[in-house]
Structure formats: structure tokens, C-alpha cells
Amino acid sequence: MTYDVIIFGAGAAGLMCACEAGKRGRSVLVLEHNVSVGEKIRISGGGRCNFTNISVGPENFISQNEHFCTSALARYTPEDFIRLVEHHGIMYNERKLGQLFCDGSSAQIVSMLLEECRSAHVEIRTGIEADTIKKKENFFVTTGGQILTSKFLVLASGGLSIPKIGATNFGHRIARQFGLSIVEPRPGLVPLCFSGTLGSLCSELSGISIEAEVRCGKMKFRENLLFTHRGMSGPAILQISSCRKEGEEIHINLRPDIDWMDVLTINRTEKKLLSTVLEQYLPGRFVELWIQNLGETKPMNRYSLPELQHIAGALANWTVIPIGTEGFGKAEVTVGGIDTNELSSKTMEAKKISGLYCIGEVVDVTGWLGGYNFQWAWSSGWVAGQFV
Ligand SMILES: Cc1cc2nc3c(=O)[nH]c(=O)nc-3n(C[C@H](O)[C@H](O)[C@H](O)COP(=O)(O)OP(=O)(O)OC[C@H]3O[C@@H](n4cnc5c(N)ncnc54)[C@H](O)[C@@H]3O)c2cc1C
């Protein structure tokens, strides 16, 4: 069978591209290897899909080429997607840091995209794996003994995170087959693991969260840090995990709203214990274990000034080195992917292979936590949908 466009992956980017191309009168086939479509949308945002952010710019993305996403984000903006959501009568709310979530369920976003695809006469086949893909003038896809041909082929098969709901390296593999280079993929928005004394401390504090500013290199995020059985998670850690390269240290400022030297100085002549002072600002269990690591807790008036400076410094700049991450099984996104140097930022078409388009998370563009990854999927999908 012959189509104008074959799209691999019925996720956020693939469905957006499909309905846009369909609206332009293209015959579009979407091939999805899962039995259902939009699985990641369904589980996103704790079931409520943080579908965009009111403020989105290239600074919210990680990529070897930080400007690559600029054009697509400017051409299909959060306002455009919000208009679509409103057109479908989906109620939503704004949470912290401009994050927009469905009031109801993420399934509403999947239904909306399917409805758009239906009205654009897009054909979607699920439970389908491609056996081979070849290109002469057109693309030839073989699947289960059938040959499908198309003028345009779109890789929208996502990243490597959460293989148990269908993530595969298909997009990277096919891109490589066509000679496109790949920026080494690694897990992003992922909990970090620690070993030794710090690992035990985290495990004992599992479930406790503290507001922190977490820094790695030039990047810093101020949000909650959550201790887990294997290390640290929470929004601040997830954010920094995407920016951090292996072996790099992380600096944690616990309660950045507090000047620890001021707090300790004010209490310097008191007989109360250091732990009693710190417990006014930090969870008791954390203080107990953290002080054990530091030495002992003494009455405040028995600390010298250099000792207090050391304690204040340790609270404001707790330096840690993770031994690794919880991997793709727990990562929300993949950092890396198809090298943006291979693609036109205006169209998402591969520069070397005419008719081949790459969109969404399969590309080396990774958003921060907060709705940015979906906005990239919508924007890149929409852009490609105007050209295929
Ligand atoms: C738990 C979790 C929560 C998240 N929450 C949010 C959130 O609230 N906000 C946000 O912005 N981002 C969130 N994300 C990230 C977001 O889901 C992704 O960045 C986004 O879905 C990427 O869109 P995509 O279309 O590129 O890929 P996907 O949505 O992953 O779609 C790719 C599709 O391709 C299919 N596929 C894979 N291999 C093949 C193959 N060989 N053949 C055919 N089809 C194939 C997959 O099954 C899938 O349906 C979350 C991610 C996770 C894991």
C-alpha cells in the first residue's frame, strides 16, 4: 500500500505530526508497536499530564545545539496547544512554575489527539513492528510480509526511558542505518544513587524531603529534594540529573531561603544543642543523622567560630558525587538522541536523506521537568506536519 507519509510511533510527537499532515490532505499511516497509543501521555504528570508550560524557551532545553529548538518552539507555542486543549473542552489548571495539568485525566489528551487524527483521516495501526526500511526514491517498509511505501518517513518513536511501556531504540537504530549520527543517549530526569555512608544516610532518610537548591556546573534548580532507598530524587534532583555528566559533583544548598551563618551566630551564646537549633529548620531525623556524620552535637556555646563556619558551609554547600542513576527503567526522559546537526531546525528533515523526518524525544533535545518535553513533542511534530 502507498501513503504520502508513514510515521513510526503513535506518541505525542507522532500523533501531532499525523493530524497536521492529514489536515493538509496527505494520506498518513501511523505505525505503533504497542497495542495502544500514547502510553507515555497516559502515565504522564501522575495521570494528569503536565502538557505544557506557560513560559517555554530554548533555555529550558538540553541539547548539544542549544538553539536548534528555537524555531519550532516559536512556530508552535504553548498558546497554540492550549487553544487546542480548550477547543476540545479539556479543563486544566496551572501549578507551580507555570506548569499546566489536566483537571481530569491524561487520557483526555490522548483522546483529543485521536479525535484530531480521525477528522484528518489518519490511519493508525497498532501492534505493528517494521521488519525492514529501505529508501530508493520512496521509502519501503516491510512488516509482517506486507510492503508499505511512502514519500515521507517520520521517526517519532521516542527515547529509551521506561522500556516496560514500549520504549525502544528503534529511532536511533533507523537513524544510524541512514547514516545519521547519534549523541550518546543517557537517562534524564532520573533519581540518583549513592553508596557508602551517604548511601546509608539516604536510605535511612527515605521518604523525607527538604527544599534545596541543587547545582551542577552552571545549572541550578531550587525545588524539593527527596531521599530514597537508593539515593536522592525529587524535582530538584531530577532536574539536575539531566544536566550532570558522569563523575561530576553536585552541590546542595539545604533550605536556600536561610542564611545558616546568621542562624548559628544568633544562637552562638546559647546552651541549647546544635541539633535543637537546626531542627527548627530541617526535619529532626535528617538533623540527627547529618550531625552524626559531622561528629557530635554540642551546646551552641561550645562551638568555636571556625566550627560554626564549617557547619554553615556544609549546610549551604553539601557536596556529593552520585555513583550512578536509576537508569532508563526509572528515567522520565532520554538525554541525547539523533544529532541535531543532522536535521533542519525549520522542518525536522534529515539534511542527508530527503523525506526522512525526526521529531520528539528521539532527537537530541531534552526538556526540563515541567511540561517542556511535551511542548517539544507538540512543536517538533507540528513543524514536521507542515512539510511532509
Ligand atoms: C513517567 C513519565 C512521566 C512524564 N510526564 C511528563 C509530563 O507530565 N510532562 C512532560 O512534558 N513530559 C513528561 N514526560 C516525558 C514525555 O512523556 C515524553 O518526552 C514525550 O512523550 C515524548 O514524546 P514522543 O512522541 O517523542 O515519544 P513517546 O511519547 O514516547 O512516543 C513514542 C511512541 O513510539 C512507539 N515506538 C517505540 N518503538 C517503536 C517501534 N519500533 N515501532 C513503532 N512504534 C514504536 C512507542 O511505543 C510510543 O508510543 C514523562 C515521561 C515519563 C516516562
Side-chain angles (χ1 to χ4, degrees), residues 48-277:
R48 294 234 155 82
C49 188
N50 176 194
F51 55 79
T52 191
N53 194 293
I54 51 167
S55 159
V56 173
E59 64 281 4
N60 305 118
F61 293 83
I62 299 156
S63 169
Q64 279 201 348
N65 175 358
E66 58 200 39
H67 303 297
F68 179 81
C69 59
T70 308
S71 165
L73 293 173
R75 283 165 62 215
Y76 190 80
T77 64
E79 292 73 33
D80 292 320
F81 193 75
I82 293 166
R83 245 191 313 279
L84 183 65
V85 164
E86 289 177 350
H87 176 72
H88 283 259
I90 299 172
M91 306 295 283
Y92 61 91
N93 60 86
E94 182 181 335
R95 298 196 195 161
K96 62 176 182 175
L97 304 169
Q99 302 170 3
L100 301 187
F101 285 78
C102 297
D103 284 356
S105 143
S106 326
Q108 293 175 287
I109 300 290
V110 179
S111 304
M112 173 187 87
L113 293 167
L114 287 177
E115 214 174 300
E116 289 287 312
C117 283
R118 243 186 322 270
S119 60
H121 309 291
V122 170
E123 182 181 339
I124 301 175
R125 294 195 209 168
T126 58
I128 299 273
E129 295 276 356
D131 301 321
T132 60
I133 300 178
K134 297 220 164 81
K135 182 173 193 297
K136 289 184 185 144
E137 189 155 341
N138 288 331
F139 290 92
F140 290 82
V141 177
T142 58
T143 166
Q146 221 191 350
I147 298 175
L148 306 166
T149 63
S150 66
K151 182 158 184 237
F152 301 103
L153 193 100
V154 183
L155 297 178
S157 54
L160 305 177
S161 57
I162 324 276
K164 71 169 187 252
I165 60 158
T168 69
N169 67 356
F170 176 82
H172 300 161
R173 212 159 23 86
I174 300 304
R176 273 203 189 97
Q177 178 196 315
F178 283 109
L180 309 192
S181 57
I182 304 290
V183 175
E184 187 59 26
R186 60 185 167 87
L189 299 179
V190 64
L192 299 176
C193 302
F194 295 91
S195 62
T197 319
L198 182 52
S200 313
L201 176 90
C202 292
S203 171
E204 287 193 56
L205 292 172
S206 173
I208 291 177
S209 91
I210 300 176
E211 197 203 330
E213 185 178 84
V214 180
R215 182 168 62 79
C216 182
K218 287 189 198 140
M219 297 303 293
K220 58 182 176 188
F221 295 94
R222 185 172 168 168
E223 284 215 55
N224 276 346
L225 172 160
L226 172 73
F227 292 98
T228 70
H229 284 293
R230 300 185 59 192
M232 296 180 195
S233 184
I237 292 291
L238 295 178
Q239 296 277 35
I240 214 74
S241 74
S242 298
C243 312
R244 179 184 171 270
K245 306 223 167 57
E246 211 181 317
E248 279 185 326
E249 50 187 31
I250 287 173
H251 302 271
I252 301 171
N253 182 354
L254 294 161
R255 292 288 310 266
D257 53 326
I258 289 169
D259 183 326
W260 289 110
M261 200 53 209
D262 272 2
V263 167
L264 298 178
T265 311
I266 290 163
N267 289 282
R268 209 183 148 192
T269 55
E270 304 272 338
K271 285 192 185 138
K272 60 186 164 192
L273 294 171
L274 169 66
S275 53
T276 311
V277 173

Side-chain angles (χ1 to χ4, degrees), residues 9 11-13 32-34 44-45 50 157 168 170 332 361 371 373-374:
E32 166 59 52
H33 79 143
N34 272 346
S44 67
N50 176 194
S157 54
T168 69
F170 176 82
E332 277 194 23
E361 204 181 309
N373 284 295
F374 278 133

Side-chain angles (χ1 to χ4, degrees), residues 2-18:
T2 300
Y3 296 85
D4 292 322
V5 190
I6 294 180
I7 299 175
F8 281 96
L15 292 175
M16 174 57 91
C17 178

